[in-house]
Amino acid sequence: MTIQRPRGTRDFLPDEAWRRTAARRAMQEVLERWGYREIATPTFEHLELFTQKCGEAVLEEIYSFKDKGGRDLALRPELTAPVMRMYVAELQNAPKPQRLSYFGNCFRYERPQKGRFREFWQLGVELIGGAKPDSEAEVIALADRMLESVGVKGEIHVGYLGLVRSILDRIGAERRSAIMRMIDKKERDALKECLEEIDASHLGLLELIDLKGREALGRAMEIANDLRNEESMGPTAFVAEEASHAGTGRASARTGRSVSAELRMDEFGRTVELLEAYGVDFTIDFEIVRGLEYYSGAVFEIYAQGLGAQRQVCGGGTYELASLFGGKETSSTGFGLGFDRIMEIAQVEERWQPPVFLIYTPDVKVEAVKIATELREALPTVLDVMGRGLGAQLKAAAAAGAKFAVIVGRSEIDSGRLTLRDMASGTQESLTLAEIVQRLRAQFQN
RNA sequence: GCCGGGAUAGGGUAGUGGUCAUCCUGAGGGACUGUGGAUCCCUCGAGCUGGGUUCGAAUCCCGGUCCCGGCCCCA
């Protein structure tokens, strides 16, 4: 028995590898047009980087190991933490904003299912240091365009944590993360019960998360006003508490290091306005809260059809993450795209072109090699390495789907003109090498 | 971690507790050392793994591995 692939990993045969490269290239082009520059980080990092960001709970899904020097390392389970680590270490003093993109494989010890693997690829961006509404609108519009470039139509849901967190500020701190979780999990009944229990039903949270679409914004404004009026009647006790949290800096983001919640509905309103200016089709949805504590402003998720249970292809928002890794607090907006899920449904238009087959008689092999070398300057070219005769080479070229063959034998060498054969029609012409290059070049321009 | 369905040449498949395990496709060679994917011939190539039942297991039973789908989770 041959050795199998590890569970949850995949081999990509030439056709699929080509498709993935083409899709990546299409999205990369969008990124370049928007001025994002690619960065890359190591495949493995110190384990601590990930437990710091996500808490100890993620340990069981992390591929971690000790290296020969006894260091605790981990195959990266995601890319946001490494990117922020890199930013803090090397880019903090670079001019703002920083527009960064990344693409890389990540590893999680999970049960594989449709659209979920143990080695998977994430593509994402971070816009670091920009002003919130502008950054948020840009990043969401960018995600939209990137998906569009590979023919994926997604449903974009945009929420705003400034409001949700402001409401939660009126609730005891110990309940907040549980409530966020219930919202995220859409556990409506449990949430309702919980809010009644702590006498918080009047705050409008339930109503808010059920609102969808454009009307949601107006109603959300009203809820926000109510909150503000209440607040002006007496300062809340939570302000001091938030300040002390900010000072601790290095706690895990999952274990209660909640970022300060500023209401700023006007900012969210501007994000919405700008998104419309970008021509993005989206739904306002306050139910989107993205489980984690470090998100602070707008948050969004994109869902696609045809993916089974794992239908979210993109998620992101604005967060305060730099300080978690020892940097100065800077808000950044970003998202991650599940590349593998996108590949399940991507429409990749680029087609692979079989190369030109240079077919030769055995007596002119040396000359054929020289001609192939020249042809390759301009055209993808292959020549026989199996020791086949002319007929067999042609057969192989046909089987490989070649559109063109260049035939060379003694008489071509003597005359200095090669035979160009159109494989579909069978017509042949006697041409110089330069003429052949000129004739075929257009065929191979993608 | 849980539930369900699977695993037979490189790919796709058939079948039976008992001779040499089907067929299609593929790959390599030949008929064909200057012209094609056709045809014909030859060759290569398989019952996931470990145990059990049995005179005999690829077939029946159990464990494991991996695949597919779902739950949980999803940074």
Side-chain angles (χ1 to χ4, degrees):
Chain A
M1 191 58 200
T2 51
I3 296 173
Q4 298 176 313
R5 256 178 288 137
R7 173 164 209 189
T9 63
R10 290 158 295 163
D11 294 316
F12 299 108
L13 271 47
D15 281 346
E16 182 59 10
W18 166 266
R19 223 171 70 84
R20 290 172 72 90
T21 303
R24 198 194 152 191
R25 191 158 45 216
M27 291 193 279
Q28 202 74 48
E29 269 170 33
V30 175
L31 284 167
E32 278 167 32
R33 281 203 299 277
W34 286 59
Y36 283 71
R37 302 204 63 197
E38 186 174 356
I39 55 168
T41 61
T43 304
F44 56 90
E45 298 265 4
H46 289 290
L47 177 58
E48 198 193 356
L49 177 67
F50 303 111
T51 54
Q52 202 167 91
K53 171 170 173 261
C54 308
E56 303 290 325
V58 297
L59 269 176
E60 60 187 33
E61 290 191 359
I62 288 184
Y63 278 94
S64 61
F65 58 99
K66 276 196 196 303
D67 73 1
K68 292 176 195 293
R71 289 170 271 255
D72 281 310
L73 300 175
L75 296 180
R76 57 188 178 197
E78 52 110 23
L79 285 163
T80 304
V83 168
M84 293 314 288
R85 193 219 74 229
M86 177 200 222
Y87 166 78
V88 166
E90 330 208 26
L91 288 170
Q92 274 199 97
N93 292 324
K96 303 279 185 316
Q98 287 282 311
R99 288 187 170 89
L100 306 175
S101 77
Y102 54 81
F103 176 81
N105 51 351
C106 298
F107 307 84
R108 291 184 196 176
Y109 191 84
E110 290 186 288
R111 181 75 202 233
Q113 61 188 70
K114 189 175 178 66
R116 178 189 284 183
F117 306 93
R118 289 185 170 179
E119 184 190 20
F120 60 97
W121 276 259
Q122 251 186 18
L123 192 161
V125 315
E126 302 293 341
L127 203 182
I128 305 174
K132 265 185 206 170
D134 309 57
S135 297
E136 286 164 352
E138 169 171 323
V139 159
I140 295 170
L142 174 57
D144 184 42
R145 294 300 132 77
M146 285 172 68
L147 290 176
E148 186 183 87
S149 76
V150 289
V152 171
K153 181 68 193 140
E155 234 176 81
I156 304 177
H157 287 237
V158 182
Y160 180 60
L161 287 182
L163 178 53
V164 176
R165 282 198 201 285
S166 292
I167 293 174
L168 289 178
D169 277 355
R170 317 326 264 343
I171 292 168
E174 72 286 350
R175 295 276 192 163
R176 287 180 208 156
S177 63
I179 289 175
M180 287 288 272
R181 206 183 154 74
M182 287 178 216
I183 299 173
D184 195 35
K185 301 286 164 229
K186 312 199 187 314
E187 291 166 355
R188 208 45 57 83
D189 295 338
L191 179 61
K192 190 159 183 257
E193 211 171 292
C194 177
L195 289 174
E196 277 166 10
E197 202 181 308
I198 59 176
D199 194 27
S201 307
H202 64 286
L203 294 172
L205 189 59
L206 272 175
E207 184 192 353
L208 184 67
I209 60 180
D210 275 333
L211 292 170
K212 297 282 136 84
R214 194 66 218 243
E215 328 73 273
L217 189 60
R219 183 67 189 110
M221 293 285 191
E222 291 170 27
I223 293 174
N225 275 332
D226 293 350
L227 270 184
R228 236 192 319 266
N229 292 338
E230 242 180 272
E231 207 157 291
S232 62
M233 289 189 257
T236 66
F238 303 112
V239 177
E241 188 194 332
E242 298 296 355
S244 73
H245 263 302
T248 61
R250 284 195 159 240
S252 153
R254 203 190 282 275
T255 56
R257 177 195 166 275
S258 49
V259 293
S260 61
E262 280 184 82
L263 190 44
R264 304 305 306 268
M265 270 315 278
D266 55 322
E267 285 198 343
F268 185 58
R270 266 210 316 286
T271 301
V272 168
E273 193 183 317
L274 290 173
L275 267 176
E276 283 165 353
Y278 273 111
V280 175
D281 185 12
F282 65 101
T283 304
I284 294 172
D285 180 354
F286 291 98
E287 200 171 9
I288 304 294
V289 295
R290 308 216 27 93
L292 291 178
E293 299 288 352
Y294 52 77
Y295 283 100
S296 61
V299 286
F300 70 103
E301 297 183 347
I302 305 180
Y303 310 98
Q305 294 299 319
L307 279 173
Q310 309 292 321
R311 57 188 293 265
Q312 187 188 321
V313 294
C314 177
T318 295
Y319 35 77
E320 321 285 332
L321 209 46
S323 68
L324 192 62
F325 303 116
K328 214 169 108 227
E329 196 53 89
T330 312
S331 94
S332 72
T333 306
F335 63 78
L337 286 168
F339 187 71
D340 305 281
R341 289 181 194 171
I342 288 168
M343 287 316 299
E344 298 257 326
I345 50 177
Q347 310 286 316
V348 178
E349 282 157 31
E350 241 178 276
R351 295 280 306 159
W352 181 73
Q353 295 273 336
V356 172
F357 276 64
L358 178 59
I359 288 166
Y360 59 93
T361 55
D363 56 314
V364 299
K365 183 181 284 184
V366 169
E367 291 85 347
V369 166
K370 291 178 179 163
I371 291 165
T373 302
E374 282 188 61
L375 279 173
R376 286 183 183 123
E377 295 286 326
L379 304 168
T381 304
V382 296
L383 78 170
D384 178 60
V385 291
M386 303 273 295
R388 286 197 256 238
L390 193 87
Q393 287 182 46
L394 264 174
K395 193 183 274 196
K403 303 267 191 303
F404 300 98
V406 173
I407 299 169
V408 50
R410 190 81 268 159
S411 66
E412 279 84 359
I413 296 299
D414 291 343
S415 70
R417 299 178 82 83
L418 311 175
T419 301
L420 173 65
R421 181 180 179 85
D422 181 314
M423 296 296 283
S425 64
T427 56
Q428 300 191 166
E429 283 178 276
S430 186
L431 301 167
T432 66
L433 196 143
E435 286 167 337
I436 289 174
V437 167
Q438 197 181 3
R439 187 74 66 88
L440 297 190
R441 187 174 266 152
Q443 299 282 333
F444 288 92
Q445 233 116 64
N446 275 319

